[in-house]
Amino acid sequence: QLVDFLEDKKPVGNIFNHYNLGGYLIYKMSPDIKVFIDGRADMYGEKILNDYESIVTQTPGWERLFDHYKIEWVVYDTNSELITRLMQSGGWQMEYTGKHFAVISKNAF
């Protein structure tokens, strides 16, 4: 259902995704979607892996990474702290909620 939603919505802009979901999204949707990261960690390098970890764990300054990477969409665990914090910030809107994953998009002001 998640892929059906993404294929229908056709997100424009950069996506931040769950590490374990990246490969599946590439398999099902490439070249229409470009993921932030997938299971091929060696391809991305230490900086991307560290930035991914900083965002996921909400290390101080993690919000600036969203601006740095121009992230407009997040595909992550539905009940994760990341989704909760972004939604509480007021700058994001829920686009899709599934049993395992949610999709949120940055509000356009």
Side-chain angles (χ1 to χ4, degrees):
Q1 293 171 335
L2 171 65
V3 170
D4 290 341
F5 169 80
L6 291 171
E7 286 177 338
D8 183 55
K9 187 75 172 181
K10 297 188 183 357
V12 176
N14 295 335
I15 295 174
F16 181 84
N17 60 279
H18 192 285
Y19 182 87
N20 293 334
L21 188 59
Y24 182 72
L25 291 175
I26 290 170
Y27 170 71
K28 294 298 276 185
M29 300 187 67
S30 184
D32 297 329
I33 196 169
K34 298 210 179 353
V35 300
F36 185 84
I37 199 165
D38 65 67
R40 302 170 294 170
D42 57 322
M43 283 185 43
Y44 292 93
E46 191 172 331
K47 175 153 178 37
I48 294 289
L49 289 172
N50 288 339
D51 289 349
Y52 175 84
E53 186 69 21
S54 292
I55 291 169
V56 169
T57 60
Q58 289 105 48
T59 302
W62 67 275
E63 299 96 337
R64 287 183 295 229
L65 293 170
F66 272 66
D67 293 333
H68 174 74
Y69 291 107
K70 298 178 174 84
I71 296 170
E72 301 287 328
W73 293 81
V74 176
V75 182
Y76 211 77
D77 295 340
T78 299
N79 297 315
S80 67
E81 180 69 21
L82 178 62
I83 293 290
T84 300
R85 288 195 63 188
L86 288 170
M87 290 301 295
Q88 289 173 346
S89 76
W92 296 82
Q93 65 186 22
M94 187 64 66
E95 298 285 348
Y96 168 87
T97 306
K99 182 177 180 182
H100 301 288
F101 295 101
V103 178
I104 61 175
S105 67
K106 196 169 190 178
N107 289 334
F109 294 110

